[in-house]
Amino acid sequence: MSRGSTGGVFLRVYIALVAALLVILAVGLVGVSLVNDWRAGQYRQRLAEAPMTLLTALVAAQPEERRNAWLEQEQERTGMGLALTDTEMLGLGYWERRELDRGEVVTRPASGDSGWRLFHRMPDSDTLLVSHILPVCPNVSRSS
């Protein structure tokens, strides 16, 4: 064997090792990103669970004909959008409908502007309580 051919083999092996390491790095970064997105979604969902359960119970305690007026009053008091709507009108996906059927809160980024939309099913009903929450600016939260 000539010296040139063995050098070429080693070079090819090292290039293959570097390529494999780059592929492993890329797969690892994508995996970490996906897990982080899932974890952040779970965190938002757990964070919104208690307030949405309380709001849903308060709305359910109101008489049927007074619910919209009560929601408008609470909307002015809290500064977040509140509404009752049917499940079919929102166009939720399979997984979101499944979470709502299990009594969980569904969180979605608000379309068009910043903030979040939260969905929670009313007890013994196909109606959803929808809440639109704007993000709190750190400067605003420190001033109060």
Side-chain angles (χ1 to χ4, degrees):
M1 269 207 248
S2 71
R3 197 175 246 302
S5 64
T6 58
V9 170
F10 285 121
L11 183 61
R12 281 189 223 131
V13 168
Y14 287 131
I15 289 175
L17 285 174
V18 168
L21 287 174
L22 289 176
V23 167
I24 291 170
L25 176 69
V27 168
L29 289 175
V30 167
V32 166
S33 176
L34 289 174
V35 167
N36 193 39
D37 288 345
W38 177 81
R39 184 196 55 79
Q42 291 296 314
Y43 174 75
R44 278 190 302 272
Q45 190 172 356
R46 282 194 320 264
L47 191 62
E49 187 78 32
M52 285 300 288
T53 302
L54 176 64
L55 272 174
T56 303
L58 290 173
V59 171
Q62 300 298 319
E64 190 83 29
E65 61 276 355
R66 181 151 156 46
R67 286 183 180 172
N68 286 331
W70 187 84
L71 284 173
E72 288 177 14
Q73 177 186 357
E74 289 300 308
Q75 183 173 339
E76 289 175 11
R77 189 176 68 85
T78 60
M80 61 183 182
L82 296 170
L84 292 173
T85 187
D86 291 329
T87 308
E88 293 84 26
M89 294 179 65
L90 294 173
L92 298 173
Y94 170 76
W95 293 109
E96 292 169 329
R97 286 192 316 266
R98 185 171 170 236
E99 287 177 352
L100 287 170
D101 290 340
R102 289 187 302 193
E104 296 177 7
V105 174
V106 172
T107 61
R108 270 184 167 179
S111 58
D113 56 353
S114 60
W116 292 92
R117 293 185 72 197
L118 310 174
F119 306 95
H120 196 261
R121 186 178 301 281
M122 296 292 292
D124 302 326
S125 174
D126 202 28
T127 306
L128 296 178
L129 175 63
V130 181
S131 175
H132 182 196
I133 299 176
L134 295 174
V136 177
C137 176
N139 295 335
V140 172
S141 64
R142 273 187 245 144
S143 66
S144 53

